[in-house]
Amino acid sequence: MISNPTSGKRENYLNWNDFFMATAFLVAKRSKDPVSQVGACIVNQDKKIVATGYNGMPLGCSDDEFPWGKKTSNKLDSKYFYVCHAEMNAVMNKNSADVKNCTIYVGLFPCNECAKIIIQSGIKEVVYMSDKHAHKKETVAAKRMFDSAGIKYWQYIPTDEKVVIDFSEINWNEQRQVPETPQKMSQQD
């Protein structure tokens, strides 16, 4: 008989909504945008992550050559014509055939352009953290389209203010072994 040192399961684990929103926030850490780092996490009906994305430049467009500024006299010198939003990148990065009937978790309420992508991709639910742009025409238009298309959207309220990722929770330094360097094999022709 195997004895179990605990009398039950751990109590302080993340619920699904906290986990998926935390994933969106972690993905946002990849963004090079100096002002707004936004991440998105798409989840299927089986609670499996099928895509993530963050705001950044399109593939092949250098993060160093294109502008990151917002307030410029020439719109061509601002980020708005170039940056791909997290929602677009998540839909494009999907690791499944489609994202039909999925839920997208995102830090900011989607703009009108991302709303169109969400609707066209078949996503049925939007879970967002912040609606700080609710007054903007782009957000009003996004909500109109979601309402018309029957897309459910709701604001996520976290269970806890912080989710901490502490790499020292598992003492990997003591477990890490330096791999042996493989011997170079000579090529024989």
Side-chain angles (χ1 to χ4, degrees):
M1 183 170 159
I2 299 174
S3 64
N4 187 346
T6 62
S7 60
K9 68 181 180 183
R10 194 174 118 233
E11 301 275 330
N12 60 343
Y13 57 90
L14 292 175
N15 67 46
W16 286 118
N17 288 324
D18 287 346
F19 174 69
F20 296 132
M21 189 60 78
T23 300
F25 271 68
L26 181 61
V27 170
K29 298 289 185 190
R30 285 286 309 141
S31 175
K32 295 175 184 162
D33 192 315
V35 177
S36 299
Q37 300 83 46
V38 181
C41 178
I42 300 176
V43 179
N44 69 16
Q45 294 170 318
D46 295 324
K47 300 208 179 305
K48 304 274 192 275
I49 295 173
V50 297
T52 61
Y54 56 89
N55 57 320
M57 294 297 167
L59 293 175
C61 296
S62 172
D63 299 288
D64 297 321
E65 294 176 17
F66 283 86
W68 287 104
K70 291 169 55 169
K71 297 178 181 173
T72 62
S73 58
N74 182 351
K75 282 189 171 187
L76 286 173
D77 294 330
S78 77
K79 69 179 183 176
Y80 294 116
F81 283 151
Y82 309 106
V83 171
C84 296
H85 287 180
E87 300 92 332
M88 174 196 295
N89 281 328
V91 170
M92 297 304 294
N93 293 339
K94 68 186 180 293
N95 61 13
S96 62
D98 61 45
V99 291
K100 188 175 182 180
N101 297 316
C102 287
T103 297
I104 187 168
Y105 289 79
V106 65
L108 286 175
F109 195 93
C111 70
N112 62 308
E113 293 300 320
C114 290
K116 291 186 248 182
I117 293 168
I118 288 167
I119 293 166
Q120 292 298 89
S121 72
I123 290 172
K124 291 297 180 196
E125 183 175 23
V126 176
V127 182
Y128 63 94
M129 179 95 173
S130 172
D131 197 7
K132 72 177 187 176
H133 300 300
H135 62 283
K136 291 187 175 182
K137 292 177 183 174
E138 293 87 344
T139 306
V140 172
K143 289 177 182 177
R144 282 184 184 172
M145 287 187 282
F146 285 158
D147 290 341
S148 179
I151 307 296
K152 178 182 173 184
Y153 55 91
W154 56 275
Q155 186 172 24
Y156 162 81
I157 306 296
T159 304
D160 294 309
E161 187 176 313
K162 292 182 181 182
V163 173
V164 177
I165 297 174
D166 182 355
F167 290 116
S168 69
E169 286 180 352
I170 297 176
N171 193 346
W172 62 275
N173 277 329
E174 288 182 12
Q175 297 171 357
R176 185 173 59 161
Q177 297 176 3
V178 179
E180 294 181 23
T181 307
Q183 297 284 335
K184 286 188 177 179
M185 300 185 74
S186 60
Q187 290 183 322
Q188 296 178 3
D189 292 282

